[in-house]
């Protein structure tokens, strides 16, 4: 398409979660919008992250149910994993969502530009020789899969999550470098597919950003599932062998497998895009912003994985909407990042909102905690899942942290988000009636116990 003759209200560079959310909301508010994307609308989340990985994890859950049906009195057997079929299912989900998103963008009258864009000035983005002027520019160029120094990604034996999503076979064995969200999710899915998996994590626990009690529950569950892990272990070398890869650790141990997945986090995509030339302040590649996502240049904002906030799709959505509403002159408030729900979609799932116990002690000094074991929850017994709800409370004050481990508990964290963000007292949540039998009762029962009136739990 040819560049519009008059400036748009907003030019968005990057069509991932943060960029397209801003574009959709800005258009809804009557602004003229140009949205530039070099790959596919929807970005990492839709095509190489949230959606396809959760489809893999669900396929893994189906495999586990087929394999273990007898414990429910249903005689089943697992004939095998057809990766062509799994990929067709996964790609079908992505394709339907992608088409829906394309329809939304078109329906809102957004000018969509395919091509690699760069910031040409504080008010312009250049794509393939065409210049798109805007009264305001939003940078939303996302992130890439990082690797470790000295570890070369070859796309076959040493791979990133991008490659892992396109595998056409089930590897016999895999070493996962990184025990964070991405590493634990792939380890979980692969184990369900029958892969012999070992996770290597440099820090002392899996999912190290979560409450330590959640990490320990996940480690216990992974042990029971036969997922191996080396904690507090740094990688010294990764070498290809005749039939796979060997990972050497600094502690002298080594692990061999068919392939290695490097899952050590994601870094910002900002190099060579004209940010420095336009005067945009950065740090280690991240674009620096204030609490309302404004950069050091008044006409430029930035959102999503490009800025040093939580790298989550729903954070990108929220930041994009905030920017669009701010530019439209609506009143906006800064995002409380502690109040954003966080989920690791492994089996079991790890979900949390608010402060960990350690963070709460650092911020508030004395805190109260209560742990409610899912063994006392009827629905969890039916699902044959183990885990717990842990609450962190300021004494005589609100609940400032909710941490949950168990199958499917990610669906519970929306209520926990309300509890944290509305600064609810245990008594107030205890007064709410939760439906029986559901896992949501575990949230209610934990608050009943914290309020000093336990029902199916010890106080």
């Amino acid at each position: 398409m040819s560049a519009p003759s008059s400036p748009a209200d907003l030019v968005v560079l990057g069509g991932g979660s943060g960029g397209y959310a801003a574009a959709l909301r800005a258009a809804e508010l009557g602004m003229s919008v140009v949205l530039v994307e070099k790959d596919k609308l929807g970005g990492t989340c839709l095509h190489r992250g949230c959606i396809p990985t959760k489809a893999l994890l669900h396929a893994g859950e189906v495999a586990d149910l087929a394999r273990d049906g007898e414990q429910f009195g249903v005689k089943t057997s697992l004939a095998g994993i057809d990766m062509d079929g799994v990929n067709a299912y996964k790609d079908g989900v992505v394709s339907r969502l992608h088409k829906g998103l394309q329809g939304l963008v078109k329906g809102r009258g957004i000018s969509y530009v395919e091509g690699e864009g760069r910031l040409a000035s504080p008010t312009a983005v250049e794509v393939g020789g065409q210049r798109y002027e805007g009264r305001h520019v939003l940078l939303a160029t996302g992130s890439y899969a990082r690797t470790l120094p000295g570890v070369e990604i070859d796309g076959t034996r040493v791979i990133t999550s991008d490659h892992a999503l396109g595998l056409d076979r089930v590897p016999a064995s895999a070493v996962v470098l990184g025990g964070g969200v991405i590493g634990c999710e792939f380890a979980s899915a692969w184990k369900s597919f029958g892969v012999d998996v070992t996770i290597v994590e440099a820090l002392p626990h899996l999912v190290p950003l979560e409450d330590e009690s959640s990490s320990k529950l996940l480690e216990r569950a992974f042990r029971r599932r036969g997922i191996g892990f080396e904690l507090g272990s740094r990688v010294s070398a990764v070498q290809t062998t005749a039939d796979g890869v060997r990972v050497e650790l600094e502690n002298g141990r080594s692990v061999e497998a068919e392939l290695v997945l490097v899952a050590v986090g994601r870094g910002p995509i900002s190099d060579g895009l004209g940010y420095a030339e336009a005067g945009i302040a950065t740090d280690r590649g991240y674009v620096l912003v204030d609490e309302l996502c404004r950069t050091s240049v008044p006409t430029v904002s930035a959102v999503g994985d490009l800025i040093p906030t939580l790298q989550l799709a729903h954070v990108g959505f929220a930041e994009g909407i905030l920017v669009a509403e701010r530019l439209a002159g609506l009143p906006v408030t800064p995002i409380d990042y502690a109040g954003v729900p966080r989920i690791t979609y492994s089996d079991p799932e790890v979900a949390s909102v608010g402060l960990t116990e350690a963070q709460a002690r650092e911020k508030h000094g004395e805190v109260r905690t209560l742990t409610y074991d899912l063994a006392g929850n009827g629905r969890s017994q039916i699902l044959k899942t183990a885990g717990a709800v842990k609450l962190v409370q300021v004494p005589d004050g609100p609940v400032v942290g909710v941490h949950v481990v168990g199958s499917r508990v990610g669906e519970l964290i929306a209520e926990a988000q309300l509890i944290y963000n509305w600064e609810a007292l245990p008594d107030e949540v205890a007064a709410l009636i939760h439906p029986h039998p559901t896992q949501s009762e575990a949230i209610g029962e934990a608050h009943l116990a914290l309020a000093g009136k336990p029902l199916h739990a010890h106080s």
Side-chain angles (χ1 to χ4, degrees):
M1 62 173 285
S2 60
S5 52
S6 58
D9 293 318
L10 176 63
V11 178
V12 181
L13 182 54
S17 303
Y20 85 67
L24 289 173
R25 183 64 178 131
E28 192 176 51
L29 292 168
M31 298 167 68
S32 55
V33 181
V34 175
L35 177 58
V36 178
E37 170 55 49
K38 69 174 182 179
D39 191 7
K40 288 181 182 174
L41 184 62
T44 294
C45 169
L46 178 52
H47 299 283
R48 298 177 300 282
C50 325
I51 300 299
T53 54
K54 278 42 165 191
L56 278 188
L57 283 155
H58 183 63
E61 183 184 357
V62 173
D64 286 332
L65 287 170
R67 188 186 290 114
D68 304 328
E70 205 157 315
Q71 64 176 312
F72 303 99
V74 181
K75 293 189 175 179
T76 56
S77 60
L78 180 65
I81 305 294
D82 168 20
M83 277 312 292
D84 286 343
V86 170
N87 285 330
Y89 151 68
K90 165 180 65 70
D91 295 343
V93 172
V94 170
S95 176
R96 286 189 294 277
L97 290 170
H98 183 216
K99 282 177 184 162
L101 184 55
Q102 287 173 311
L104 275 175
V105 165
K106 188 175 181 182
R108 299 262 174 102
I110 294 164
S111 300
Y112 183 63
V113 181
E114 287 185 36
E116 190 158 355
R118 67 186 302 278
L119 191 64
S121 81
T123 56
V125 169
E126 202 170 83
V127 188
Q130 290 272 30
R131 195 178 175 95
Y132 297 88
E133 294 281 347
R135 293 182 181 85
H136 197 94
V137 174
L138 175 63
L139 308 178
T141 43
S143 61
Y144 67 94
R146 288 189 190 276
T147 187
L148 291 167
V151 177
E152 194 167 328
I153 307 292
D154 62 19
T156 354
R157 292 186 181 179
V158 183
I159 65 174
T160 67
S161 56
D162 291 357
H163 304 113
L165 286 166
L167 279 181
D168 58 359
R169 70 189 193 286
V170 177
S173 55
V175 176
V176 177
L177 304 186
V181 174
I182 297 170
C184 285
E185 288 186 352
F186 272 100
S188 184
W190 280 347
K191 184 63 185 177
S192 297
F193 289 166
V195 182
D196 181 8
V197 185
T198 303
I199 302 170
V200 177
E201 170 54 52
L203 293 171
H205 288 290
L206 296 179
V207 288
L209 298 181
E210 295 292 341
D211 191 89
E212 191 174 314
S213 64
S214 293
S215 297
K216 287 177 176 175
L217 282 170
L218 181 66
E219 288 158 17
R220 188 186 306 163
F222 271 17
R223 238 179 250 116
R224 278 199 302 267
R225 292 187 61 196
I227 297 173
F229 43 86
E230 295 275 348
L231 301 176
S233 304
R234 292 189 176 276
V235 174
S236 57
V238 174
Q239 300 165 335
T240 53
T241 62
D243 52 2
V245 187
R246 182 168 57 249
V247 177
E248 305 278 357
L249 305 179
E250 285 183 359
N251 63 12
R253 296 166 66 102
S254 66
V255 194
E256 296 200 31
E258 184 180 323
L259 57 80
V260 168
L261 169 65
V262 182
V264 292
R266 299 184 66 84
I269 295 173
S270 57
D271 283 354
L273 296 179
Y275 296 172
E277 294 87 334
I280 308 286
T282 61
D283 178 32
R284 295 169 295 118
Y286 290 102
V287 170
L288 298 178
V289 294
D290 67 7
E291 73 280 2
L292 296 180
C293 298
R294 293 177 290 214
T295 72
S296 54
V297 174
T299 52
V300 182
S301 299
V303 297
D305 288 0
L306 179 63
I307 66 176
T309 55
L310 291 170
Q311 290 185 327
L312 299 168
H314 45 288
V315 167
F317 294 150
E319 290 168 345
I321 291 166
L322 182 151
V323 168
E325 293 185 346
R326 170 169 58 76
L327 295 178
L330 298 180
V332 292
T333 53
I335 295 167
D336 174 7
Y337 289 97
V340 173
R342 308 170 292 272
I343 307 172
T344 302
Y345 293 83
S346 49
D347 181 22
E349 291 182 353
V350 179
S352 63
V353 70
L355 307 178
T356 65
E357 181 180 344
Q359 289 168 337
R361 288 192 187 283
E362 190 178 321
K363 182 174 181 179
H364 297 289
E366 190 187 346
V367 296
R368 286 181 69 201
T369 66
L370 182 132
T371 300
Y372 172 78
D373 195 317
L374 289 187
N377 176 257
R379 183 69 172 163
S380 296
Q381 284 290 328
I382 291 165
L383 293 172
K384 288 189 174 288
T385 183
V389 175
K390 177 178 176 178
L391 305 179
V392 182
Q393 180 203 7
V394 177
D396 301 319
V399 172
V400 294
V402 181
H403 306 274
V404 196
V405 178
S407 293
R408 307 186 184 185
V409 297
E411 297 294 344
L412 304 182
I413 212 64
E415 179 185 3
Q417 175 185 215
L418 297 178
I419 291 166
Y420 170 86
N421 283 288
W422 289 347
E423 299 181 345
L425 301 173
D427 271 329
E428 294 170 329
V429 183
L432 302 174
I433 299 172
H434 290 75
H436 176 75
T438 63
Q439 286 185 293
S440 72
E441 282 181 287
I443 300 282
E445 295 258 3
H447 284 85
L448 278 165
L450 193 58
K453 40 188 176 186
L455 185 58
H456 297 103
H458 302 289
S459 57

